[in-house]
Structure formats: structure tokens, C-alpha cells
Amino acid sequence: YDNKDYGFAAAVAGNFGVASKYNAYNSELGSNTIYSDAIRVTGSVDLKPAGLDGLVFGALWQTAKPSDDTVATTSGTTVTSFKGLKENAYGITAAYAIPSTPIKLKAEYISATTELDGRDDRKQDLYGIGADYNINKQARFYGVVGQQKRDWSTTSTPEKKKTVIGLGMEYNF
């Protein structure tokens, strides 16, 4: 749905039987391919019709779970069940294109909670800020700083917080 008069857009999408990864249990699941079903709802509000040219807010909510609820891994004689595996996530974004300049400022927050029968929920939060500098309609420079915080650790990934910085250029042909 898209209503340009009010600056509102919304969509509902689903993916079924798609190869997926569950970040919270990636190290335990190893290289096993898990086919998942996911439903997501998105929306955005452009405040230009309200007189705030360049300011846009967006949101997303998603839920995903394996298509077959009998996911298990085997290591030697040990079988580990992942029954009840489910992930819920939501995100909010804001972007402000500074009028009469080629600069757009962006911010984003995403939170995901992964559930599994008989185990504590695992939560991770992602924060990010960035800026775009549009050279023309085809090219832009961009920079981002993001941080991931999670409430669990594993032997292979003991850190609970990661910060990344990215710079780049995009050119659309």
C-alpha cells in the first residue's frame, strides 16, 4: 500500500521454505541448513505532506520459525533438539535529507529475540547511524557506524559487543 498524499506506505510479505540462519544459535547449528517460514510487516511515513520535507520514519516487524519444527543436530552420539526455535524481530529507522544539500542522515535500531523450548531467550540489539553524500542520481558516498550487543556468548564467539565502521561508494548503472 502506498499513499503519497499522506506520505504513508505499508507492506506485508511472507517467505516460506527459505534457507535461513538463526544468529543466536548459529554456532550450535553449525553448517546445517534450516528452511524457515517468515512473515514481515513494514511501514514508513514521509513527513513532507506535513511540512517536514526530507524526514522519513520507518518500521519493520518479523517473525520466523523453521518450516519443520523437528530441527536437531548430531555430534557423535549426542543429539541436540532445537524444538520451538522461533525468532521475533523489530526495527525502527529515521532518515533526514537535509534540504538544498546532497546529504542524508540516517539512524536505525533493530532488536531480535530468539526463543527455544527449554532454554533462556537470546536477545540482540543493533544500533546504527550513517550519512549519505549524493554526488548525482547514480552515485553516492556513504559512511556508517554500527554496534551489536547481545546477551549471550559461546566458546567460538565470546564477545557480547561488536562495533563496525563502514565507508563506501555506490554507483547505479
Side-chain angles (χ1 to χ4, degrees), residues 110-164:
I110 299 172
S111 182
T113 301
T114 306
E115 303 169 8
L116 188 59
D117 289 354
R119 298 191 196 178
D120 290 337
D121 292 353
R122 291 184 175 182
K123 184 176 178 181
Q124 61 184 326
D125 295 314
L126 305 159
Y127 311 85
I129 58 171
D132 292 351
Y133 184 88
N134 293 311
I135 299 166
N136 56 38
K137 289 188 180 213
Q138 291 179 294
R140 71 180 175 102
F141 288 109
Y142 61 88
V144 295
V145 176
Q147 187 171 76
Q148 173 192 40
K149 292 181 181 179
R150 58 188 191 172
D151 66 357
W152 81 93
S153 63
T154 64
T155 307
S156 62
T157 55
E159 66 279 344
K160 290 186 175 187
K161 184 165 93 171
K162 293 181 189 178
T163 301
V164 296

Side-chain angles (χ1 to χ4, degrees), residues 98-109:
I98 301 171
S100 304
T101 73
I103 298 170
K104 180 189 280 185
L105 304 175
K106 302 183 284 188
E108 181 174 60
Y109 170 74

Side-chain angles (χ1 to χ4, degrees), residues 24-161:
Y25 288 98
N26 202 35
S27 62
E28 290 96 325
L29 289 166
S31 61
N32 292 313
T33 299
I34 299 175
Y35 292 92
S36 297
D37 300 335
I39 301 288
R40 71 190 56 82
V41 178
T42 64
S44 67
V45 176
D46 184 344
L47 297 179
K48 184 176 184 176
L52 296 169
D53 192 15
L55 185 59
V56 178
F57 292 103
L60 170 133
W61 172 81
Q62 174 180 289
T63 187
K65 63 182 184 177
S67 302
D68 178 2
D69 198 26
T70 59
V71 176
T73 61
T74 305
S75 178
T77 59
T78 305
V79 176
T80 304
S81 172
F82 289 88
K83 185 164 180 56
L85 182 61
K86 180 180 177 181
E87 186 170 84
N88 289 306
Y90 67 91
I92 54 174
T93 64
Y96 181 60
I98 301 171
S100 304
T101 73
I103 298 170
K104 180 189 280 185
L105 304 175
K106 302 183 284 188
E108 181 174 60
Y109 170 74
I110 299 172
S111 182
T113 301
T114 306
E115 303 169 8
L116 188 59
D117 289 354
R119 298 191 196 178
D120 290 337
D121 292 353
R122 291 184 175 182
K123 184 176 178 181
Q124 61 184 326
D125 295 314
L126 305 159
Y127 311 85
I129 58 171
D132 292 351
Y133 184 88
N134 293 311
I135 299 166
N136 56 38
K137 289 188 180 213
Q138 291 179 294
R140 71 180 175 102
F141 288 109
Y142 61 88
V144 295
V145 176
Q147 187 171 76
Q148 173 192 40
K149 292 181 181 179
R150 58 188 191 172
D151 66 357
W152 81 93
S153 63
T154 64
T155 307
S156 62
T157 55
E159 66 279 344
K160 290 186 175 187
K161 184 165 93 171

